[in-house]
Amino acid sequence: MSFTDVIAQGCFTWNIPLHEGALEGLEEYTRLLLEKNQVMNLTAITEPDQVAVRHMLDCLFQLSCGDFEGKWVIDIGSGGGFPGIPLQIARPSARFLLLDSRKKRVDFLQEVCDAMGLPAETMAGRAEEAAWQKQLREKFDIAVSRAVAPMNILCELCLPFVRPGGLFLAMKSQNEGAEQEIQGAQKAIRTLGGRLKEQRSYQLPGTDVHHQVVVIEKVKNTPPAYPRRYAKIESAPL
């Protein structure tokens, strides 16, 4: 199957509708990603058909976990643009902020947005510092994050950005270690104003890879003591 056929079939299987032009947009983003990957370490996956499955479809599954239409969304630790850029391409009515601590990667994300005319904004900065900015704290409908930190640490980095009533979607593996990690984060989730709503499991098509999206609902404001400095978050996680 072609790159676009792989994504189209996967989204059909998961009952995820795509806007017109999304498949072509995802293919163009992949071209830009692999081109830049020759001079910058953005991804270890370099075959387009594998990028389609292990990056694009992996990210797009989150569209089955919440309504992104017209929402303000922050991608924390965006790196090469995952999951934020595929989600922005698939949901052009949403407004994304792509946050990463490494300026070179943020520069690449901005290049992609400019080249493709995407409405996403980019920002270089650390999550635990950006969360104290008045215009960002508890302002987002949805926060997303992929492969950034253990769950208890990740919650302290992400939940302060989410408004009460919003969602935090964390992409995780589906295995015994991940389950222990999620259960061990229950105190952090509660302390930071969240509630574990559900865990949505899925298998990447044509592989034996099983992942999940941990869906956390923001039910009350994050206490003003959080987030702490990263050294403290890491040495004494909630």
Side-chain angles (χ1 to χ4, degrees):
M1 287 191 293
S2 69
F3 177 94
T4 55
D5 286 343
V6 169
I7 296 175
Q9 182 171 311
C11 287
F12 178 79
T13 300
W14 293 335
N15 195 30
I16 296 173
L18 293 177
H19 285 265
E20 183 178 356
L23 294 172
E24 293 76 14
L26 293 165
E27 190 167 36
E28 174 63 9
Y29 167 45
T30 297
R31 185 189 69 79
L32 294 170
L33 175 75
L34 296 182
E35 181 180 273
K36 179 63 74 171
N37 198 58
Q38 296 177 17
V39 295
M40 183 186 297
N41 182 26
L42 295 170
T43 175
I45 301 168
T46 57
E47 294 298 324
D49 60 333
Q50 290 300 303
V51 172
V53 174
R54 295 176 181 268
H55 281 324
M56 303 305 163
L57 277 177
D58 194 28
C59 294
L60 292 174
F61 182 81
Q62 291 188 80
L63 297 174
S64 69
C65 303
D67 178 13
F68 283 76
E69 293 287 0
K71 298 298 195 298
W72 196 17
V73 187
I74 183 169
D75 176 13
I76 297 162
S78 194
F82 304 116
I85 289 184
L87 294 172
Q88 178 71 91
I89 292 169
R91 292 294 180 267
S93 70
R95 175 185 167 204
F96 276 77
L97 175 62
L98 310 175
L99 174 67
D100 197 271
S101 62
R102 292 157 291 189
K103 187 177 184 303
K104 284 187 177 181
R105 294 201 171 186
V106 172
D107 289 343
F108 165 69
L109 299 178
Q110 189 62 56
E111 289 174 12
V112 170
C113 292
D114 291 344
M116 296 185 63
L118 299 177
E121 299 176 8
T122 62
M123 179 179 177
R126 298 187 63 85
E128 71 277 12
E129 296 171 0
W132 287 103
Q133 296 186 25
K134 187 176 180 180
Q135 70 272 25
L136 301 179
R137 187 176 181 87
E138 297 194 320
K139 292 295 192 293
F140 293 87
D141 301 299
I142 302 173
V144 296
S145 189
R146 183 193 196 205
V148 170
M151 196 69 195
N152 54 356
I153 291 176
L154 193 61
C155 286
E156 189 164 350
L157 297 177
C158 297
L159 278 171
F161 288 99
V162 182
R163 64 169 179 81
L167 296 176
F168 167 38
L169 307 179
M171 300 175 68
K172 289 290 179 180
S173 297
Q174 187 185 17
N175 53 42
E176 185 177 344
E179 290 307 310
Q180 292 175 352
E181 180 184 320
I182 294 164
Q183 292 307 310
Q186 294 298 316
K187 178 186 175 184
I189 293 170
R190 292 191 301 270
T191 300
L192 297 159
R195 177 182 72 86
L196 179 59
K197 184 178 180 181
E198 61 178 326
Q199 294 170 243
R200 297 287 299 275
S201 302
Y202 60 102
Q203 182 175 357
L204 294 180
T207 77
D208 60 356
V209 177
H210 294 262
H211 285 169
Q212 64 177 310
V213 175
V214 183
V215 182
I216 297 173
E217 183 181 14
K218 187 75 173 283
V219 294
K220 60 182 179 180
N221 295 102
T222 297
Y226 304 102
R228 300 165 293 169
R229 293 187 177 186
Y230 191 79
K232 188 68 173 178
I233 296 173
E234 190 174 40
S235 65
L238 294 172

